[in-house]
Amino acid sequence: MKKFAGLVLLVLMHAVFFQTAFAQDGKSALVPLASLDDFTRGEDGWAFGLGLGIEYESAYEGSDEFGFEAQPAGAVQWRRGDDIFFFAGEALGWRGLRSDTWLLEAIVGFEEGRKESDSDDGRLDGLGDTDEGLEFALQARRAFDADWRYWLDSRVVIGENGNLGIFGLGRRFGEREDGSGSEFSIVAVFHDSDLANTEFGVDPAQAAASGLDETNLSGGFRSIGAHYNYRNYLNDHWQIFGEVLYERYGSDIADSPIARNNYEAEVGLGFIYVF
């Protein structure tokens, strides 16, 4: 019920603030997608955004416990032409536009580990903690035309705890080129056996300590997901953003004793001040 209420809130925010976009001067973002923050206002040089978001989400991968969590938002960016270098949270990256219809991105960051204490109900007791790991992500998006109304997406994430592949199709809504508006995408997610077992496997020692059945997973299909992103401007400096994420696990993951649900969900809403 709370997830549904969060979705309704985002839809209402979309309606309330739709008319406020006139405050922007229409300067072009690198790519006019709501999911990619761009604080440069179409100009070369440094740009800064700082804000806060509130997320209502699963406590861990496959959890049936949900809760609210505050997350910092924003980034430090440096733009030169069709290239932006950025630092956001624990991630350092670059994205570049090529031929108006290709967006390439490379990111070095950290994958958040899992702790037994993530479950207030003790669902993870005996499984131990999963360490935070370094990961490297490469992404390519290919638009069908220069206005980025429709696009194809592919991403490969290589990490210390395993590897992930994501393939999707997206649709942008809205007419502006400043990164405001909304978008919707559907993605298929695949992982290797290392990542599958890091997140959903139970080795013999963990089985003995937790009482859960020993579980060894192979790589392959992980999930199908849907993602909605929203971003708009309240005035020259303030942005509002939001997202809704739903990921439905494949049968192998859903059968793991760690997966108390056969899905993961998240609703987020926040504000950013652009300097």
Side-chain angles (χ1 to χ4, degrees):
M1 189 65 174
K2 290 182 178 179
K3 295 191 291 294
F4 176 76
L7 177 58
V8 171
L9 177 60
L10 284 180
V11 172
L12 289 176
M13 286 292 187
H14 189 288
V16 169
F17 293 110
F18 178 80
Q19 296 297 327
T20 65
F22 72 88
Q24 287 299 299
D25 57 12
K27 292 181 179 178
S28 176
L30 182 67
V31 179
L33 298 180
S35 58
L36 300 177
D37 50 17
D38 183 347
F39 307 134
T40 65
R41 306 179 190 271
E43 300 176 352
D44 286 356
W46 290 99
F48 305 88
L50 182 63
L52 183 69
I54 302 295
E55 297 177 351
Y56 183 74
E57 60 183 351
S58 307
Y60 56 90
E61 303 282 352
S63 174
D64 59 354
E65 303 169 55
F66 290 83
F68 289 95
E69 184 175 358
Q71 294 281 359
V76 178
Q77 302 174 339
W78 185 79
R79 179 170 180 169
R80 182 173 182 179
D82 288 334
D83 296 279
I84 292 179
F85 298 86
F86 59 90
F87 176 73
E90 296 182 322
L92 181 66
W94 159 85
R95 67 174 62 109
L97 182 65
R98 298 294 180 267
S99 303
D100 292 329
T101 56
W102 279 99
L103 178 70
L104 306 177
E105 186 174 70
I107 300 176
V108 178
F110 290 92
E111 177 188 6
E112 184 178 348
R114 186 186 67 197
K115 301 183 181 300
E116 288 188 2
S117 59
D118 288 343
S119 173
D120 292 334
D121 296 337
R123 307 289 196 188
L124 300 176
D125 289 354
L127 296 179
D129 295 342
T130 301
D131 294 334
E132 187 179 70
L134 183 69
E135 63 180 18
F136 181 64
L138 291 173
Q139 182 177 22
R141 294 193 188 190
R142 174 66 164 88
F144 292 109
D145 49 47
D147 69 356
W148 284 82
R149 186 64 58 195
Y150 296 92
W151 73 90
L152 298 174
D153 188 20
S154 62
R155 176 183 289 246
V156 176
V157 181
I158 302 170
E160 292 184 87
N161 295 324
N163 306 311
L164 193 72
I166 302 172
F167 306 92
L169 171 67
R171 165 73 157 91
R172 179 174 76 93
F173 301 92
E175 301 299 328
R176 300 182 64 84
E177 301 296 319
D178 58 4
S180 63
S182 62
E183 65 188 72
F184 179 77
S185 60
I186 297 176
V187 299
V189 185
F190 300 83
H191 56 191
D192 65 9
S193 59
D194 289 340
L195 186 60
N197 285 294
T198 296
E199 296 182 337
F200 298 103
V202 181
D203 64 27
Q206 291 173 320
S210 67
L212 299 178
D213 293 336
E214 185 177 341
T215 303
N216 185 55
L217 299 172
S218 58
F221 176 73
R222 170 192 172 100
S223 62
I224 189 79
H227 198 180
Y228 172 80
N229 278 280
Y230 168 75
R231 187 181 302 273
N232 222 321
Y233 293 89
L234 305 181
N235 54 41
D236 286 341
H237 293 285
W238 283 102
Q239 289 185 4
I240 182 174
F241 67 91
E243 68 173 344
V244 178
L245 172 67
Y246 179 82
E247 182 182 3
R248 181 83 175 192
Y249 295 132
S251 58
D252 288 349
I253 301 302
D255 290 342
S256 165
I258 294 177
R260 312 294 301 191
N261 267 332
N262 58 5
Y263 69 90
E264 180 183 356
E266 177 184 320
V267 176
L269 182 66
F271 296 88
I272 294 177
Y273 184 85
V274 182
F275 293 86

